[in-house]
């Protein structure tokens, strides 16, 4: 559903349909280089995106920003005057519809907030605006971020652009679908139990969940406050690194935000070379945060595969652990093979890769659903039809009005979580469920702490399966909840993690591989992920690093144009323009469907 300003785009950008397709397939970094060199304007980029949104039938957007073209024109004017706010000035982006933007509807894909327009903007929306980005609109999702398919939306389900008969994942399915279908260069989602990483995996995009507190949650509608975290979905790891640089940092309006200043996450990207040298970025080689690695509790050195030791872990080479608990029963065979293939290729590139163990991993799923449902029950108590949100039309008393408003305003999945949370917090059950879940959380965090004394990152699947069919009838909702097996432990422990595409299954559906880092180790995590991404050029339908290069080149593209008129990007960043975009666009088209007209 698109409610406002769905079209309004003019023609002429990109020199015809073929040129527009190539430009739409650009990464965020490539778009920035094109803007900096004057090869394209922000208005042209925005028009292309708006045209594609209007033509898509995958239901990724709930609301399109009617001021998008005006914002693009303002960005172009700043560049002409040599006053660009940043390298990202003029790049079209989109936000999940639980992120508030002043004056633009924020519905959380729920009837309860279908007509709610916030009087303020979220911190992440403010930071993107300060960087000069153009807001295309608000993205579809599972209602109040509760779900794994983006089918639980008052505005209809999101379709997976790689196969519209399959789910897009959730709850940030609209964000992942928008990036995968070239309907935005950057999309922000929220990740409570995998809701950025899992849909990114299902749609063949890159999704980053930062350390809890790394990005402010101010202005983000809460699901489970101790688990929620905003994260970017992009086409490349470099774009995720850039987005994190724009968004990270403390915020006095969010008491859970961390005061640690953000790093230049792009500068450390080295491509495959980053897999042969951790660069002294912390947990590897006994330097930086955390010092050397200790025992992982397994009583000695592990092997991975059929007794094969993939790496020696000497010098500054990053050391990757592959927890056996996430590579066995319940993992689709093609997914397991893909992650094993990535582990082997990372070892061949110089990383030390070995099997390890997270012995309390089995408790993560149960702990997550108890904690998240309890916090959701509390957070959603405010929606009573009195102050704001949906109010029933017919009722007999105040109590009846509240009951009817909540019954009519919330969907089935939200009601299910509220009931579960109410039960676990009730007298007589609090100690048996909620308290024990928090105790399990502590043990899970300790498992990770011990693992990161020895490893720089952990490698597991993002999802135990690839995208399943839309409308699949799961008689037991817990069967769907079990699909979060590989992602929830990261949120329970507050860790950073990134999902990147690694091949496809027999049906051509993307497979996601997930790298998990220690708290605040995003720079090292992104470096390792960037190397893995380059290794995947041969197995992924979209070649993510085509014409982009490593940290210095990406940094040049990012910085070009900030504070100056359209000036060329320096160094190898010049390869990120239209010439290399043709190659990237050709690969990006594989497996993609043609959308019909979306009625607004």
């Amino acid at each position: 559903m698109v409610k406002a300003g769905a079209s309004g785009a003019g023609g002429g950008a990109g020199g015809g349909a073929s040129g527009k397709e190539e430009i739409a397939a650009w990464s965020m970094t490539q778009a920035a280089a094109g803007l900096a060199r004057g090869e394209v304007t922000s208005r042209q980029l925005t028009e292309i995106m708006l045209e594609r949104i209007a033509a898509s039938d995958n239901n990724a957007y709930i609301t399109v920003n009617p001021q998008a073209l005006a914002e693009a024109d303002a960005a172009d004017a700043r560049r002409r005057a040599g006053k660009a706010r940043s390298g990202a000035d003029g790049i079209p982006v989109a936000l999940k519809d639980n992120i508030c933007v002043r004056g633009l509807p924020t519905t959380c894909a729920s009837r309860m907030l279908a007509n709610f327009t916030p009087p303020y903007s979220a911190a992440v929306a403010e930071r993107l605006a300060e960087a000069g980005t153009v807001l295309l609109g608000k993205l579809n999702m599972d209602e109040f971020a509760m779900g794994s398919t983006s089918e639980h939306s008052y505005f209809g389900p999101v379709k997976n652009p790689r196969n519209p008969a399959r789910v897009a994942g959730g709850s940030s399915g609209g964000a992942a679908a928008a990036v995968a279908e070239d309907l935005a260069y950057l999309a922000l989602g929220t990740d409570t139990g995998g809701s950025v990483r899992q849909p990114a995996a299902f749609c063949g995009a890159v999704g980053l969940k930062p350390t809890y507190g790394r990005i402010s949650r101010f202005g983000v509608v809460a699901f489970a406050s101790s688990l929620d975290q905003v994260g970017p979905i992009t086409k490349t790891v470099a774009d995720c690194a850039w987005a994190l640089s724009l968004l990270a940092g403390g915020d006095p309006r969010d008491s859970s935000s961390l005061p640690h200043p953000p790093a230049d996450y792009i500068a450390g990207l080295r491509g495959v070379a980053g897999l042969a040298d951790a660069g002294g970025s912390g947990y590897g080689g006994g330097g930086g945060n955390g010092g050397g690695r200790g025992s992982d509790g397994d009583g000695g050195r592990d092997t991975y595969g059929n007794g094969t030791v993939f790496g020696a872990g000497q010098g500054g080479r990053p050391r990757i652990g592959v927890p056996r608990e996430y590579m066995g029963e319940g993992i689709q065979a093609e997914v397991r093979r893909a992650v094993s293939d990535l582990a082997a290729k990372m070892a061949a590139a110089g990383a030390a890769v070995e099997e390890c163990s997270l012995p309390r991993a089995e408790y993560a799923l149960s702990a997550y659903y108890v904690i998240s449902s309890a916090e959701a029950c509390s957070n959603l108590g405010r929606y009573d039809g009195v102050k704001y949100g949906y109010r029933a039309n017919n009722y007999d008393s105040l109590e009846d009005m509240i009951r009817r408003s909540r019954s009519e305003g919330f969907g089935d999945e939200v009601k299910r979580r509220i009931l579960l949370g109410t039960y676990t917090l009730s007298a007589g059950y609090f100690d048996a469920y909620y308290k024990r879940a928090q105790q399990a959380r502590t043990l899970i965090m300790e498992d990770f702490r011990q693992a990161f004394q020895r490893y720089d990152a952990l490698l597991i699947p993002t999802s135990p399966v690839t995208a399943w069919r839309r409308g699949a009838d799961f008689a037991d909702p817990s069967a769907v909840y079990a699909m979060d097996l590989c992602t929830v432990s990261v949120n329970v422990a507050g860790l950073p993690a990134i999902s990147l595409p690694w091949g496809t299954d027999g049906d051509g559906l993307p497979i996601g591989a997930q790298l998990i880092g220690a708290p605040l180790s995003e720079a090292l995590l992104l470096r390792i992920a960037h190397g893995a991404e380059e290794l995947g050029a041969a197995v992924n339908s979209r070649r993510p690093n085509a014409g982009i290069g490593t940290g210095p080149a990406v940094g040049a593209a990012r910085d070009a144009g900030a504070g100056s008129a359209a000036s060329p990007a320096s160094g190898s960043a010049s390869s990120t323009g239209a010439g290399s975009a043709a190659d990237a666009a050709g690969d990006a088209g594989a497996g993609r469907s043609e959308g019909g007209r979306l009625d607004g």
Side-chain angles (χ1 to χ4, degrees):
M1 174 180 179
V2 174
K3 297 199 296 187
S7 56
S18 177
K20 290 182 180 181
E21 290 292 319
E22 293 178 6
I23 292 171
W26 279 353
S27 69
M28 178 178 170
T29 306
Q30 289 173 316
L35 286 168
R37 290 196 298 269
E39 296 171 350
V40 68
T41 65
S42 177
R43 184 178 183 91
Q44 289 173 326
L45 293 178
T46 304
E47 286 176 340
I48 290 170
M49 292 292 127
L50 291 175
E51 288 175 357
R52 294 180 63 84
I53 292 167
S56 171
D57 66 351
N58 289 328
N59 204 29
Y61 280 78
I62 292 177
T63 301
V64 169
N65 180 15
Q67 299 301 315
L69 289 176
E71 292 179 17
D73 289 340
D76 287 333
R78 289 192 296 270
R79 284 191 180 269
R80 287 194 298 270
K83 298 180 179 180
R85 294 175 180 174
S86 74
D89 203 341
I91 293 179
V93 304
L95 306 178
K96 186 177 180 179
D97 205 25
N98 61 346
I99 299 173
C100 290
V101 176
R102 182 178 180 180
L104 203 61
T106 297
T107 71
C108 290
S110 176
R111 185 182 190 186
M112 182 63 75
L113 292 178
N115 297 310
F116 173 67
T117 300
Y120 61 92
S121 290
V124 291
E126 292 175 344
R127 290 179 181 180
L128 286 178
E130 290 166 2
T133 63
V134 174
L135 178 60
L136 291 168
K138 307 296 288 300
L139 297 162
N140 207 352
M141 55 184 282
D142 283 304
E143 183 182 8
F144 282 101
M146 299 180 192
S148 302
T149 65
S150 294
E151 293 177 296
H152 303 292
S153 170
Y154 180 61
F155 302 103
V158 180
K159 301 176 185 177
N160 190 325
R162 299 295 291 264
N163 184 335
R166 304 295 178 119
V167 299
S171 62
S172 305
V179 170
E181 198 182 351
D182 300 330
L183 306 181
Y185 293 106
L186 163 68
L188 296 190
T190 58
D191 193 310
T192 306
S195 293
V196 162
R197 291 161 287 148
Q198 184 249 34
F202 280 10
C203 294
V206 178
L208 173 67
K209 184 265 176 198
T211 301
Y212 180 77
R214 175 67 92 179
I215 295 175
S216 172
R217 293 183 297 111
F218 175 79
V220 178
V221 179
F223 165 11
S225 302
S226 74
L227 302 166
D228 296 342
Q229 184 60 74
V230 176
I233 297 178
T234 63
K235 297 174 184 176
T236 71
V237 172
D239 286 355
C240 267
W242 186 4
L244 184 61
S245 296
L246 294 174
L247 299 169
D251 182 356
R253 299 168 297 181
D254 175 10
S255 60
S256 68
S257 70
L258 300 174
H260 303 75
D264 183 350
Y265 300 107
I266 289 177
L269 303 183
R270 300 180 181 178
V272 175
L275 296 175
D277 181 8
S281 294
Y283 297 85
N289 298 330
R293 304 181 184 93
S295 169
D296 63 1
D298 288 334
R301 180 164 178 99
D302 287 306
T303 58
Y304 181 72
N306 296 322
T308 303
V309 179
F310 283 160
Q314 298 175 352
R317 294 192 293 168
R319 196 165 185 177
I320 312 298
V322 184
R324 63 178 68 95
E325 291 81 4
Y326 293 100
M327 294 294 287
E329 184 179 353
I331 306 298
Q332 182 178 326
E334 292 163 303
V335 173
R336 187 165 55 247
R337 284 195 296 269
V339 175
S340 297
D341 177 64
L342 173 56
K345 283 183 168 59
M346 292 176 75
V353 182
E354 58 188 47
E355 186 181 75
C356 66
S357 179
L358 295 172
R360 268 75 69 105
E362 62 181 298
Y363 304 124
L365 196 65
S366 298
Y368 166 79
Y369 273 100
V370 170
I371 294 169
S372 65
S373 296
E375 294 184 8
C377 168
S378 175
N379 281 324
L380 270 62
R382 72 194 70 180
Y383 304 109
D384 54 13
V386 176
K387 296 177 287 295
Y388 54 86
Y390 175 80
R391 178 182 293 183
N393 293 320
N394 301 308
Y395 49 87
D396 298 325
S397 64
L398 176 61
E399 180 180 345
D400 187 47
M401 184 270 287
I402 294 173
R403 182 173 60 250
R404 289 178 180 271
S405 296
R406 289 172 67 82
S407 296
E408 298 171 13
F410 289 135
D412 289 344
E413 182 60 29
V414 174
K415 293 175 186 175
R416 188 177 295 119
R417 308 283 182 109
I418 292 173
L419 288 171
L420 177 59
T422 302
Y423 179 79
T424 59
L425 293 177
S426 61
Y429 296 100
F430 180 90
D431 287 349
Y433 292 101
Y434 186 74
K435 182 178 179 180
R436 292 188 69 184
Q438 292 288 14
Q439 291 170 334
R441 183 181 207 171
T442 301
L443 295 175
I444 293 163
M445 294 173 72
E446 176 61 18
D447 276 357
F448 278 113
R449 187 192 68 80
Q450 291 188 21
F452 289 122
Q453 287 181 343
R454 180 162 180 160
Y455 301 105
D456 297 300
L458 302 177
L459 172 64
I460 66 173
T462 307
S463 171
V465 298
T466 51
W468 55 89
R469 291 192 175 276
R470 289 190 300 112
D473 184 14
F474 290 92
D476 182 0
S478 64
V480 181
Y481 297 166
M483 301 300 182
D484 296 332
L485 169 70
C486 297
T487 52
V488 296
S489 60
V490 169
N491 299 80
V492 168
L495 303 173
I498 187 168
S499 175
L500 59 156
W502 190 264
T504 59
D505 68 5
D507 294 323
L509 299 169
I511 295 171
Q514 181 178 196
L515 287 161
I516 305 169
L520 300 174
S521 69
E522 281 89 346
L524 178 56
L525 181 68
L526 287 162
R527 178 179 300 175
I528 294 170
H530 190 248
E533 181 183 54
E534 285 203 343
L535 289 175
V539 299
N540 295 316
S541 61
R542 180 193 294 278
R543 290 190 298 151
N545 283 340
I548 295 178
T550 54
V554 176
R558 170 200 60 188
D559 297 334
S564 64
S567 57
S570 61
S572 59
S574 62
S575 65
T576 63
S580 62
D583 294 335
D587 290 317
R592 196 161 293 191
S593 61
E594 294 295 328
R597 186 81 182 173
L598 178 65
D599 295 327

